[in-house]
Amino acid sequence: MITQTVVLSAFLCSVHSFTIQDSLEKSDQYSGNTIEDDDFSISTLLERANANVGKNFDEPLVIGDIAVPTGFQNADPCTERGCLWPKSPDGNVYVPYRISRQFSQREREVIIQGLRSFAQSTCIRFTPLNRQRDFVNIQSRSGCYSFVGRRGNGQIVSLNRRGCVFHSIVQHELLHALGFNHEQTRSDRDNHVRILLQNVIPGMEHNFRKIQTRNLGTPYDYSSVMHYGRFAFSKNREPTILPIPDNDVVIGRATQMSPTDILRINRLYRCNSTAPALQIQLLPEPEPVQRNHFL
Ligand SMILES: [Zn+2]
């Protein structure tokens, strides 16, 4: 009985918040879709900061803002070895980190704030490195990038001091490190966006390929911090990503993780934290585990 009440109130809550969100979206969905309005979208920030990414000899191959281990491009090491971070018996997932001394005190604070934000609504706990083998090694390299999932040993998360030290980018890159891909590469993205490859800078088409992702029963989310903006990698100031069926919906402008981003972490890592999940429509968990989830 108690369970039924909880489920019912969660359902009512989701209906209610959807109504509010709908009206909010309607009020501004027809404004602010110019390329200038996209100046601070995640993808614009990444594009700007990644102009010279990965060109140093000691850096990994970087595609978009995803680092790829050379020699493994066609394989999917995640499915072979498991690239989730391990869960501790207390239910939390501890992800050790080290932050390079390259960063100023102010930059360090922005990064730590980003790391801490995960603990507010998920079971992810970024903790200072203390002799663990696997950890995220946060440095200011040639751009903003991260590997997808746990790679083993110290894995670089690059947050260039000029262009990447923003709350949204910190969360974005760490979501990659936790195992997430870009929203517009989701397996079901063709139901929600149209990719206009004719407007994409030649050679950048790979940023728009579709991946057989596990979507964890969560809806496609235009406001995910993992969603690129409509002019991402545009060669002609024309859109490269169009939301469908309503082309005017605002996309890719998240300044922080959305409730869906949080729900996905909680589902992928089977966290018990559920508070933010009540604000969005809950779908059944489903989907057989698909291969090629990561990269
Ligand atoms: Zn990314």
Side-chain angles (χ1 to χ4, degrees), residues 133-146:
R133 186 195 60 182
D134 299 340
F135 63 98
V136 288
N137 191 0
I138 302 173
Q139 300 187 351
S140 171
R141 309 281 282 251
S142 64
C144 335
Y145 61 83
S146 169

Side-chain angles (χ1 to χ4, degrees), residues 116-172:
R116 284 198 184 133
S117 66
F118 287 80
Q120 287 160 14
S121 43
T122 75
C123 60
I124 305 296
R125 299 286 181 272
F126 288 98
T127 49
L129 179 63
N130 183 23
R131 298 189 190 185
Q132 295 92 336
R133 186 195 60 182
D134 299 340
F135 63 98
V136 288
N137 191 0
I138 302 173
Q139 300 187 351
S140 171
R141 309 281 282 251
S142 64
C144 335
Y145 61 83
S146 169
F147 291 92
V148 173
R150 180 175 58 88
R151 310 298 318 183
N153 301 309
Q155 66 187 71
I156 299 278
V157 170
S158 174
L159 296 171
N160 186 278
R161 294 181 63 189
R162 285 190 298 275
C164 308
V165 186
F166 298 101
H167 189 65
S168 56
I169 301 284
V170 174
Q171 287 185 331
H172 179 104

Side-chain angles (χ1 to χ4, degrees), residues 47-83:
E47 260 186 88
R48 223 177 265 150
N50 283 1
N52 292 307
V53 74
K55 292 195 175 149
N56 298 333
F57 73 96
D58 61 340
E59 289 191 281
L61 173 66
V62 178
I63 297 180
D65 72 323
I66 295 179
V68 184
T70 33
F72 288 95
Q73 288 91 333
N74 295 323
D76 186 349
C78 276
T79 54
E80 277 178 32
R81 301 188 294 135
C83 65

Side-chain angles (χ1 to χ4, degrees), residues 42 46 64-66 172-173 176 182 226 228:
I42 296 282
L46 291 176
D65 72 323
I66 295 179
H172 179 104
E173 297 306 336
H176 280 317
H182 294 136
M226 303 308 278
Y228 276 11

